[in-house]
Amino acid sequence: MSDQSQLVTFQLGEELYGINIMDVKEIVRVQDTRALPNAPGYVEGIFNLRGEIIPIINLHKRFHLKKASSSEEDELLSGFIIIDVDGMKLGVIIDRVSRVVTIEREQIQPPPQMLTGIGAEYIQGVVRQEEGYLIILNIRDLFNPRELQKIAELRR
């Protein structure tokens, strides 16, 4: 097992987040989503990515985060990160894609108790940086199995 992780980093609200690059399938520009009746509140809708129906998750709604105030440049960098959670592709709305960073395992610290609106159970760890923290999300823990089941049913 390597002592390094590569993370795709992005901004959500005021914070910088990272997810393991192995969980990221691709990053796409904002697309029109089709709203779904009876979907959980944090599901923005679905969109068609080359014939595959992808549910779009709004983590702002899920964790009650404020959207980042965005400039036109940020608009160009916003979009969806397509992730793979146990074989199911989901799109996560991001305010701004940042970059891919390589993190040494020993740089990762447990999350401080009062870090963000996102509960500590969803956070794998944090990396201190000059401009604050990079929060590493554990995408497998963002949704419980019942929620994943409900999201999977939306794709039909």
Side-chain angles (χ1 to χ4, degrees), residues 69-108:
S69 49
S70 60
S71 63
E72 275 185 34
E73 178 200 359
D74 291 339
E75 295 289 318
L76 295 173
L77 294 170
S78 70
F80 306 144
I81 290 187
I82 308 296
I83 58 175
D84 188 312
V85 180
D86 300 329
M88 179 168 61
K89 286 189 186 162
L90 298 173
V92 175
I93 298 173
I94 57 169
D95 289 335
R96 178 181 187 159
V97 67
S98 188
R99 58 185 202 266
V100 174
V101 296
T102 301
I103 301 292
E104 299 291 334
R105 218 171 277 310
E106 68 263 11
Q107 290 177 280
I108 300 173

Side-chain angles (χ1 to χ4, degrees), residues 33-46 150-151 153-156:
T33 58
R34 200 173 85 223
L36 290 170
N38 307 324
Y42 55 83
V43 176
E44 201 68 17
I46 54 175
K150 193 159 174 62
I151 293 167
E153 288 165 8
L154 296 173
R155 297 167 55 196
R156 297 199 181 101

Side-chain angles (χ1 to χ4, degrees), residues 109-116 118 120 123 125-126 128 133 135:
Q109 303 166 351
Q113 279 308 308
M114 290 306 301
L115 183 61
T116 65
I118 291 187
I123 298 174
V126 295
R128 192 184 297 277
Y133 285 104
I135 302 162

Side-chain angles (χ1 to χ4, degrees), residues 20-33:
N20 190 310
I21 198 167
M22 299 309 288
D23 294 324
V24 175
K25 294 297 156 214
E26 62 187 296
I27 299 170
V28 294
R29 302 213 18 143
V30 171
Q31 313 273 331
D32 283 335
T33 58

Side-chain angles (χ1 to χ4, degrees), residues 43-58:
V43 176
E44 201 68 17
I46 54 175
F47 88 105
N48 187 326
L49 180 67
R50 295 184 296 279
E52 193 170 3
I53 302 301
I54 311 275
I56 299 299
I57 306 299
N58 186 327

